[in-house]
Amino acid sequence: MAADRPKQNDAMDGVQAGVLAGVLGWPVGHSLSPTLHRYWLHENRIGGDYVLLETPPEDLEKVLHALPDKGFSGANVTIPHKQAMVRIVDRLDESARRIGAVNAVTVEEDGSLSGRNTDVFGFLENLRAAMPGWQATGAPAVVLGAGGAARAVVVALLDAGVPELRLANRTPEHAEALAQDIDSHIRVVPWENRHQALADAGLLVNTTSLGMAGTPPLALALDALPETALVNDIVYRPLETPLLKHARARGHPVADGLGMLINQARPCFADWFGGRAEDSAGLRAALIKKMADPER
Ligand code: ATR
């Protein structure tokens, strides 16, 4: 109820009314989302802004419920709030419910809040853009990792009709728990058998943090992977991870992690600002520049 909404909070200090969206996170300074949305705002000549909403967990409900009064059309949700948001919004789409995480909230006309998960769309669109004609139904998929990102990837692949999903994770209990939560047909593979699990696969996805700047590379022998298989890394810092470099050298089609970030934002932009939001060389250049110089 509007009367119950707090009038002020720190994350909203200094935010001007208008067509607005933002990203709720803690910390959130590293987010590339403002660069993405401002690029599209400029391209579409739409007045408005996309701002960082630095929100500690104890302020999450307060900041969220202040969005309608502050003129926000919606907000993205990032670490560590994606799971908590499931319980706070007024309704959830099917993907958000199955994944157990919300990455985007839309303010409806009546001020109520709808939670969505556009990571599923972003993941699949990225693969289709990297390899036109790619279909999940063609061959088994191998997913490495069982964290938050893996849940979205797994739901996306199952919904897209993958015939077999092999899941390997360092901590097998996490993979078992994911399979139990989402779909018992997922084949959990021991982490040490991940190399052999690549045989006859059509897709390999790394959702672990291995390969990210500052972490060791993912140790993985690609010998068993058919040469036509698409290789995707969720990691985008660096853009070309050691896994993608190795896969490219073997002749595999590859999809980088930046494409998923861009594509999950496209339906959000269309929904909140009403313009066209496309992946483009210009957008990628802006994001790469921002990653290289975060203070810009
Ligand atoms: P995200 O939300 O991005 O998926 P996360 O939930 O922290 O991040 O998940 C990180 C994933 O990387 C997990 O699958 C984790 O494996 P565990 O479940 O065993 O923790 C995986 N990971 C992180 N460091 C790893 C390492 N050194 N070796 C293998 N897997 C690792």
Side-chain angles (χ1 to χ4, degrees):
M1 281 187 324
D4 293 331
R5 285 191 200 118
K7 291 282 172 259
Q8 196 155 16
N9 48 65
D10 293 341
M12 291 293 182
D13 281 353
V15 170
Q16 304 296 314
V19 186
L20 284 172
V23 53
L24 290 127
W26 179 256
V28 77
H30 65 281
S31 174
L32 291 176
S33 292
T35 307
L36 258 173
H37 287 271
R38 285 173 181 171
Y39 184 92
W40 285 325
L41 282 169
H42 183 75
E43 200 175 53
N44 283 277
R45 304 205 195 306
I46 295 174
D49 202 3
Y50 185 102
V51 298
L52 295 173
L53 296 169
E54 185 99 35
T55 308
E58 62 273 21
D59 288 351
L60 184 58
E61 285 204 54
K62 196 171 72 169
V63 173
L64 187 76
H65 286 121
L67 293 175
D69 283 352
K70 288 284 184 178
F72 278 74
S73 304
N76 284 114
V77 183
T78 189
I79 291 168
H81 302 316
K82 284 185 169 192
Q83 286 81 22
M85 198 58 85
V86 167
R87 293 185 305 276
I88 304 178
V89 290
D90 298 306
R91 68 193 68 78
L92 286 176
D93 78 356
E94 183 59 14
S95 295
R97 196 187 58 72
R98 285 184 68 204
I99 296 165
V102 165
N103 79 315
V105 175
T106 293
V107 177
E108 304 295 351
E109 276 183 15
D110 63 0
S112 64
L113 301 165
S114 299
R116 309 164 67 184
N117 197 304
T118 64
D119 287 335
V120 166
F121 173 85
F123 169 73
L124 292 172
E125 278 294 297
N126 184 33
L127 299 190
R128 291 178 185 131
M131 189 177 175
W134 175 84
Q135 287 195 334
T137 49
V142 178
V143 177
L144 304 179
R151 294 178 73 92
V153 165
V154 162
V155 166
L157 291 173
L158 291 170
D159 287 356
V162 74
E164 185 186 329
L165 202 154
R166 304 169 188 158
L167 181 68
N169 191 53
R170 175 181 60 178
T171 311
E173 293 80 14
H174 295 166
E176 295 288 357
L178 188 156
Q180 206 166 10
D181 263 15
I182 293 177
D183 192 321
S184 57
H185 293 98
I186 294 168
R187 218 182 103 199
V188 175
V189 176
W191 182 242
E192 55 278 14
N193 294 353
R194 62 194 180 282
H195 321 278
Q196 300 88 311
L198 301 177
D200 72 18
L203 173 71
L204 164 66
V205 186
N206 173 45
T207 76
T208 75
S209 46
L210 293 168
M212 194 183 290
T215 71
L218 168 70
L220 183 65
L222 295 180
D223 309 72
L225 189 67
E227 259 178 38
T228 50
L230 177 57
V231 178
N232 172 222
D233 207 326
I234 296 296
V235 171
Y236 56 83
R237 296 173 205 260
L239 201 52
E240 178 149 281
T241 60
L243 170 66
L244 292 187
K245 196 170 180 182
H246 183 191
R248 207 188 291 274
R250 276 177 47 95
H252 293 280
V254 301
D256 66 36
L258 203 54
M260 180 172 172
L261 179 82
I262 292 169
N263 280 291
Q264 64 74 32
R266 289 174 52 217
C268 301
F269 185 87
D271 199 12
W272 303 332
F273 295 111
R276 274 173 64 83
E278 301 297 334
D279 192 349
S280 67
L283 173 60
R284 279 176 170 256
L287 293 169
I288 290 165
K289 210 163 158 184
K290 178 72 182 172
M291 281 196 280
D293 183 7
E295 302 308 317
R296 260 180 77 241

